[in-house]
Structure formats: C-alpha cells, structure tokens
Amino acid sequence: MLKARIIPCLDVDRGRVVKGVNFVDLVDAGDPVEQARIYDREGADELCFLDITASHEDRDTIFDVVGHTAEQCFMPLTVGGGVRTNDDIRKLLLAGADKVSINTAAVKEPEFVRRAAEKFGSQCIVVSIDAKTAAGGRFEVYTHGGRRATGIDAVDWARRMAEYGSGEILLTSMDRDGTKLGFDIPLTAAVADAVPVPVIASGGVGTLDHLVEGIVEGHASAVLAASIFHFGTYTITQAKAHMKAAGVPIRDDA
Amino acid sequence: MSVVIIDYGSGNLRSAAKAFEHAVAAAGLDLTVDVTARADDVDRASHVVLPGVGAFADCKQGLEALPGMVDALERAVVRQARPFLGICVGMQLLATTGREHGEHAGLGWIPGEVVALEPADPSLKIPHMGWNELCLKGPSHPVFEGIAAGSHAYFVHSYGYACADPAHVLATVEYGGAVTAVVGRDNMVGTQFHPEKSQATGLRLITNFLTWRP
C-alpha cells in the first residue's frame, strides 16, 4: 500500500542552511547538501528546499545547491521560493529538482499554474498555500510569509489549483507555523477532503504525535516539518518509528 | 559502451542521468552515460533508457519530433535486442495505445493500453504519489536481483498500464486494486516508478539493468 510521507524542509539563504542541525558528524552545519545527505540516510521520503534568498544577485546560489544535492540524494526533491516563471521552473529542473512549489506567483496569476503544468506536467507542480483561520470557520489565503491577506478562501483556492493542474498541495497554517502546537487539523482536513490530489500538511509540528495527527485526523498524504528535524529534537528514524507504532503506514526499509 | 538517455524535452533528465552516473561509478562499470536527442547516438548505444514525465501524447509527439529517433529505437531495441529501460511515461509508451486526453498510438512493443487509474476506494488520491511496495510476479527477473519483495519504490502517475498479456507484468503495487509497476519482455523493461528517485532500491535496479545480459 501507499505510505504516508515524511518530508524534512530546509530553509536556504544564499546557498546556506538558515536553521541547521548540530549533528556531531557534520563537517559544515550550514551546508544544505550535507544536511540533505543525513536526511537521505535516515530514510526521509522526500526533501524540500525553501529558498529564502532575498537579494536578486544571490538567487543563482540555489541552482548549485540543487545540483550537488541531486548528485548524492536519490529521492524526490522539491524546491520553492521565488518561482515566478516557466523559465525559473526549467532552470530548477535542469539543476536536478523534481518538483517546484509555487506560492505568491499563483495568487498573482493563477493561469501561471496552468501553463506550468501543461509545460512540465502536473507531477512537478506543487502549489503552496499559506492559510489562516478567518471568521465563520473559514480559512483565508495569505501571501508574503503570512503578512498579506488575499480575501481568497483557502479551500476554494486549493480546489481551483488542483483543477489548473497542480499535482499536489503544500498547505501551511500561518496560525500554527513556528508555534509547535501541531498542525491546524480543521484546515488540513477541510483542504485534503476537498481536493483529489495529495495534500502535504505543514506548520506547527512540535511533537511526533503531531505528525500522526496530520495524517490520521488531517487526512494529509504527507507531513512536512522543519525545526523538529533541524534542531535535532527528533530524527527522521524516530519519527517513522513513532508513526508506525501509531498505526500510520510508513516506509521503513530505506 | 554507452548508456543513452533519450532527451525529447520531457521533464527532468538531469536527475535520471545523475542516478545512472552514480550507479555506473559505484559498480565500477565501464560505461559512459549520455543524454542525447540524436538518433545516431542510439545506434551506437549499448543500453537505451527512455524516461518521460507529463502526458502520454506530448511525450509521443516529443519523441516523434526527433529526426529518425523512433526508427533508431526500433533498430536498437526491437531488432538488435539491446537492453531497454522505460521509466514512467517512457514505460507507458511501450503500450499499443494511450488513453490519456484522447486515444494515441504508443510504440506497441508490449501489447496493452494505458488507462486512467480508478482505485476501487474513491478516497484514494490521484495522482498515485509516493512510496509503494513492489509485489514481484512470476520467476524473478534479473533486474530485481537483490531487491526483496515488498521493497518500496517512488511513484507519481495518474494513468496505468493494462497489459494484454499478464506474463508481461513483472511487478505490481496495491492502490485500490493492483496497479502495474513493472512491465517487460525479452530485452525490454519498463518501470512505472522512478528508479532514479527510489533511493537504494532504485539504484539497485539501475545497476541490475546495466549489468543485465538479455
């Protein structure tokens, strides 16, 4: 049967990991390629890089990072952050990425998602949605790292993005992100139950039980976490053992 | 001796090329890995790899747009029986017909149709995306050497290969019913999953393919 996926995410700024793990055997804790290799070795199911490089002239650093990672880690690699054009996508795929995540550019121009899916195939287009709870039990899409409200309903938006060809939805609760209080389960379940494509739950993981909740109660197909793995609170191996013990189907033969 | 990976404008060949390069180096094989769009490179190849992502018809058209490529593939794979590996849509192109957005002719090397996945359980997501367990069929094929039944491979697809002859199905996975995971006959193998993304299991299959003497 198909297994729930655990996806560690690394924030990369100018080619360096922003919040890295202090593994004892790590030669260079800021090197995303080394971090990726550790996650690979521990059996991460996929890997995600979020490029947060602000300055335009430094933006090409991500291509080297992706290229070197793809030489050493043979698992799906998603890269997000600043993906605005088909040319951005092409360059990331040529560097060795398998999927790209699109966030703000999709809100600005939804047709971009359609064009990207037609050109590269839905399998490599992930639409990333940042959402917050709004009045009346609804959820609203935000952009710019949760600072800018759009007035768009998150469930409707996810449905529309799937229709436009997004092969997957990466859903981040901006209420929960960084809180370690767990995923926003009502948000996750509302989106996962509304779209035919897989949903990756993100934002708020603080314990291994939260990972289980994302799958079991949130109906997500995958769970993404950054800090619990970055700071060495838990390893991927521990996360998988915990999920397996809780009855979540996971891959543990890697 | 060279492995050619056919570049017909379909998706990410870089990660496939890197996995093959890694497998060649790790096993100490005397092979070069060439990503090519040229039919004459196929004529010279010892192994042929046809990757592919996206829609069936787009991939077929992309392949046909390369001058002489389909003929070169017929010569190398069908007549001269050199080892061939199709990956994902590159595997689906082996079929007689693809039924994705209309009806399109495939290469027709392994009889069958490529049809939409319709899991019996409607809550299952489409695409079938992620790691699933391989169920190996029949007598073990050399490309599965060292790969245990139940090993996981990485899938992402919305259409599946319905083989006309069940003997051509070398492995399946369970996703609301049995879904074809690997097809093969004679010197041809095709994987619905992505060996280049399937960590140790995938690299093992690639190495097995490169050392296979059909």
Side-chain angles (χ1 to χ4, degrees):
Chain A
M1 71 187 298
L2 189 68
K3 302 302 157 66
R5 289 170 281 152
I6 299 186
I7 308 174
C9 179
L10 292 167
D11 288 359
V12 179
D13 184 9
R14 287 167 292 171
R16 304 286 292 170
V17 177
V18 179
K19 299 176 281 188
V21 196
N22 291 311
F23 287 115
V24 283
D25 57 347
L26 211 54
V27 178
D28 177 358
D31 179 1
V33 183
E34 274 216 58
Q35 302 261 345
R37 282 171 59 186
I38 289 176
Y39 288 144
D40 186 37
R41 203 161 64 212
E42 289 183 350
D45 296 308
E46 296 191 21
L47 189 64
C48 181
F49 286 145
L50 181 62
D51 184 20
I52 58 168
T53 307
S55 76
H56 191 75
E57 54 269 30
D58 291 326
R59 289 203 59 92
D60 283 353
T61 53
I62 193 68
F63 300 117
D64 282 341
V65 169
V66 170
H68 289 125
T69 304
E71 275 163 18
Q72 300 174 47
C73 299
F74 301 99
M75 65 174 151
L77 172 62
T78 302
V79 183
V83 176
R84 292 183 181 89
T85 64
N86 272 1
D87 194 49
D88 293 336
I89 298 173
R90 192 182 58 83
K91 284 188 345 209
L92 286 168
L93 295 181
L94 282 175
D98 299 290
K99 313 183 199 180
V100 294
S101 75
I102 304 172
N103 189 330
T104 304
V107 175
K108 274 190 183 154
E109 197 207 344
E111 286 295 327
F112 168 46
V113 171
R114 204 196 291 273
R115 284 200 308 275
E118 277 170 7
K119 171 95 181 136
F120 302 102
S122 293
Q123 83 295 328
C124 76
I125 305 299
V126 182
V127 169
S128 170
I129 301 176
D130 293 343
K132 280 189 191 179
T133 303
R138 298 176 70 84
F139 305 99
E140 183 177 356
V141 176
Y142 278 67
T143 58
H144 299 81
R147 294 188 304 277
R148 200 172 294 181
T150 64
I152 301 169
D153 181 84
V155 176
D156 289 345
W157 179 242
R159 233 186 245 126
R160 184 170 169 205
M161 289 295 94
E163 272 166 29
Y164 280 27
S166 178
E168 206 172 13
I169 302 287
L170 168 55
L171 179 67
T172 303
S173 161
M174 299 314 289
D175 296 316
R176 291 300 179 91
D177 202 33
T179 65
K180 299 190 185 300
L181 294 171
F183 296 118
D184 183 331
I185 295 298
L187 166 70
T188 308
V191 172
D193 293 346
V195 295
V197 300
V199 169
I200 306 167
S202 157
V205 175
T207 70
L208 299 181
D209 281 332
H210 293 155
L211 299 175
V212 175
E213 287 164 14
I215 303 290
V216 174
E217 295 167 39
H219 308 160
S221 300
V223 284
L224 180 140
S227 55
I228 61 160
F229 299 129
H230 288 335
F231 297 118
T233 318
Y234 300 104
T235 64
I236 303 280
T237 316
Q238 286 170 326
K240 288 196 155 184
H242 188 86
M243 291 173 81
K244 188 180 185 182
V248 177
I250 55 100
R251 176 183 71 118
D252 58 356
D253 64 355
Chain B
M1 301 277 279
S2 72
V3 190
V4 299
I5 300 177
I6 309 216
D7 177 5
Y8 56 104
S10 168
N12 174 23
L13 302 180
R14 200 46 45 200
S15 67
K18 282 174 172 171
F20 277 80
E21 282 161 9
H22 184 91
V24 163
L29 303 175
D30 186 19
L31 282 167
T32 56
V33 178
D34 299 319
V35 175
T36 185
R38 292 161 52 101
D40 54 351
D41 286 333
V42 173
D43 285 326
R44 286 192 292 269
S46 57
H47 299 71
V48 180
V49 179
L50 185 64
V53 292
F56 188 97
D58 289 348
C59 287
K60 183 70 190 311
Q61 281 159 16
L63 198 59
E64 283 168 346
L66 301 181
M69 184 54 85
V70 173
D71 288 341
L73 285 170
E74 294 268 357
R75 271 194 305 277
V77 181
V78 180
R79 274 182 258 151
Q80 297 168 8
R82 291 183 231 157
F84 171 91
L85 174 64
I87 299 173
C88 199
V89 182
M91 165 259 213
Q92 295 181 349
L93 287 174
L94 292 169
T96 321
T97 308
R99 298 192 187 278
E100 179 175 5
H101 309 310
E103 189 177 314
H104 312 279
L107 293 166
W109 297 348
I110 297 183
E113 293 190 337
V114 175
V115 296
L117 292 179
E118 286 174 352
D121 175 355
S123 74
L124 291 176
K125 299 290 188 178
I126 298 289
H128 169 223
M129 182 186 289
W131 298 83
N132 206 332
E133 289 158 283
L134 296 175
C135 173
L136 309 180
K137 301 285 172 194
S140 186
H141 193 281
V143 298
F144 297 136
E145 173 78 34
I147 295 173
S151 295
H152 291 83
Y154 186 81
F155 291 79
V156 47
H157 63 122
S158 301
Y159 288 76
Y161 203 134
C163 278
D165 181 349
H168 293 150
V169 179
L170 304 183
T172 59
V173 287
E174 177 61 32
Y175 195 63
V179 172
T180 304
V182 183
V183 298
R185 71 166 176 93
D186 307 316
N187 57 307
M188 302 168 198
V189 197
T191 63
Q192 180 64 72
F193 62 86
H194 288 271
E196 77 280 17
K197 295 284 116 191
S198 295
Q199 292 181 330
T201 298
L203 291 171
R204 182 68 200 240
L205 185 135
I206 290 171
T207 307
N208 289 343
F209 168 71
L210 294 174
T211 53
W212 180 32
R213 299 281 171 267

